Amino acid sequence: PRRAGGVTAAAPERRCVGCSRIRAKAELLRVVLNHGTLVPDPVARLEGRGAYVCKDAGCMAEAIRRHAFERSFRAPVRVPDDHLDWIA
């Protein structure tokens, strides 16, 4: 995207809660908390605070192990059994 004056705007970036690397928002999966349960939000349309994780099973596992989602949402989080299907 171009801005006034011919300057190209940078793509939005977010930090993965699993590996802490900063990546382009499009490279990450947004997840939100819905009634205490983690829910994928691939099109970033659901309400509420979102957390971002790489589309990689290792990053998802690391985020769960480190309780990164609980920290991001400042609340207890239930991770569904099919969470790895979200990044396939």
Side-chain angles (χ1 to χ4, degrees):
R2 297 185 74 68
R3 291 186 175 175
V7 177
T8 303
E13 295 179 327
R14 300 291 184 266
R15 183 179 304 271
C16 171
V17 296
C19 66
S20 298
R21 285 189 293 240
I22 296 174
R23 295 181 179 246
K25 186 177 170 183
E27 296 176 21
L28 301 169
L29 172 67
R30 180 178 189 257
V31 294
V32 296
L33 200 59
N34 185 4
H35 301 291
T37 302
L38 209 58
V39 176
D41 184 17
V43 293
R45 295 287 186 251
L46 296 178
E47 292 182 11
R49 177 183 297 270
Y52 292 83
V53 65
C54 294
K55 297 174 184 175
D56 175 74
C59 283
M60 179 67 83
E62 186 66 10
I64 293 167
R65 187 189 70 75
R66 293 178 41 215
H67 301 281
F69 294 117
E70 285 87 349
R71 224 177 2 267
S72 292
F73 294 116
R74 300 181 187 120
V77 174
R78 190 184 81 70
V79 180
D81 293 335
D82 67 343
H83 66 277
L84 293 180
D85 295 340
W86 304 342
I87 54 177

